[in-house]
Amino acid sequence: MRTGSEPMTARSALRARFWLCVWGVAWAIFGTVAFTLAGRPGWAVACGVLWLVITVDMAMVLRHIRQGPHYQPGRDIPPYRPPENRPYRPPPPNRRP
């Protein structure tokens, strides 16, 4: 059921994102080590930077998971209901210079 409030009440698949981060970290570590041993320092640095970005993303995902059901609701928490008495505000007009 679409209510129009999806951007405000969307839920993220944090556990799936966590496991994708684990998969990405494993490949980034492998790439960093492999390119270092192969004598390709540019590619090794690129994999190292990717490793850092994935690690930061994983930390944010874990933080949101640990914050509880507000950020990661379980199966026992029903979907959010949109506010019923909220006045309609039209979107602002597009102003181009």
Side-chain angles (χ1 to χ4, degrees):
M1 173 177 85
R2 293 191 53 99
T3 62
S5 66
E6 283 82 9
M8 296 178 69
T9 59
R11 297 179 181 186
S12 175
L14 292 176
R15 287 183 186 93
R17 221 170 117 192
F18 170 75
W19 288 109
L20 286 172
C21 286
V22 170
W23 181 253
V25 165
W27 278 105
I29 292 171
F30 173 77
T32 303
V33 171
F35 284 123
T36 300
L37 294 176
R40 302 280 189 164
W43 284 104
V45 169
C47 286
V49 169
L50 184 61
W51 182 4
L52 178 67
V53 169
I54 295 170
T55 303
V56 169
D57 184 45
M58 185 186 299
M60 292 300 296
V61 168
L62 285 173
R63 178 176 174 261
H64 283 218
I65 287 174
R66 288 187 180 135
Q67 284 180 340
H70 177 69
Y71 288 99
Q72 182 62 25
R75 296 173 201 250
D76 56 338
I77 296 175
Y80 296 115
R81 302 260 330 141
E84 296 181 17
N85 57 358
R86 190 170 167 186
Y88 173 75
R89 290 187 323 200
N94 291 335
R95 294 185 180 158
R96 295 184 184 180

